[in-house]
Amino acid sequence: MLLYKRTAIIAGLALVITIGAVNSSPAGTKREFVNLKVLPKDISSKDLQHIMIDEFEDGLGVGCGFCHAEQKGSHKLDYVSDAKPEKQIARSMMRMTLKLNARYFQVHRPGLGDPGLVVTCQTCHNGKPVPGE
């Protein structure tokens, strides 16, 4: 009987600690990005950073400010703003590469940043903002 009580108390404490750890864990929180038109609404910060750095920065040889406008009265970037036309061009290019991969290279459900993509920003841009320059 005493062993049963001890086991029940230990199991109960373990359950309370586990629930508390899961509910207070920053890893359990999900950041929600705003104004995503092509990228998945539930994209992880890690995947978004991979696409922006490995695909855009490396593929076009540009920084974030190429597509993202500055906040008014500041040099900080306003990632939500659609003020710069380059952002809409980038969205069109993302749609184009996804369609090309699906239609001509039979990539099933292509996603930006996927290692199986045949056509990427780098394919045409070769590290330059405008292809062929």
Side-chain angles (χ1 to χ4, degrees):
M1 184 71 165
L2 184 61
L3 181 61
Y4 174 75
K5 284 184 180 179
R6 283 186 183 169
T7 304
I9 291 171
I10 291 171
L13 287 173
L15 181 63
V16 169
I17 291 169
T18 302
I19 290 171
V22 168
N23 287 335
S24 66
S25 171
T29 60
K30 186 104 171 151
R31 180 174 177 185
E32 189 172 311
F33 296 100
V34 180
N35 198 21
L36 297 179
K37 307 283 186 193
V38 180
L39 297 170
K41 305 278 186 238
D42 63 346
I43 192 168
S44 71
S45 182
K46 180 181 177 182
D47 289 343
L48 182 61
Q49 186 175 5
H50 164 72
I51 291 167
M52 292 297 149
I53 293 172
D54 294 342
E55 295 295 323
F56 295 141
E57 280 193 21
D58 295 348
L60 279 69
V62 298
C64 302
F66 186 75
C67 295
H68 296 286
E70 290 183 354
Q71 294 176 0
K72 287 184 171 60
S74 169
H75 289 295
K76 291 182 181 179
L77 295 178
D78 182 356
Y79 294 103
V80 177
S81 171
D82 288 334
K84 293 188 79 173
E86 289 85 356
K87 189 170 183 180
Q88 187 57 41
I89 293 167
R91 287 177 175 147
S92 297
M93 294 287 180
M94 286 189 278
R95 289 183 187 102
M96 178 191 69
T97 58
L98 293 174
K99 285 179 186 175
L100 288 170
N101 279 286
R103 187 173 296 150
Y104 297 106
F105 298 100
Q106 290 73 47
V107 177
H108 180 67
R109 298 178 71 147
L112 292 167
D114 289 350
L117 294 181
V118 178
V119 177
T120 66
C121 301
Q122 181 68 30
T123 306
C124 299
H125 283 269
N126 293 309
K128 294 180 175 58
V130 178
E133 281 191 349

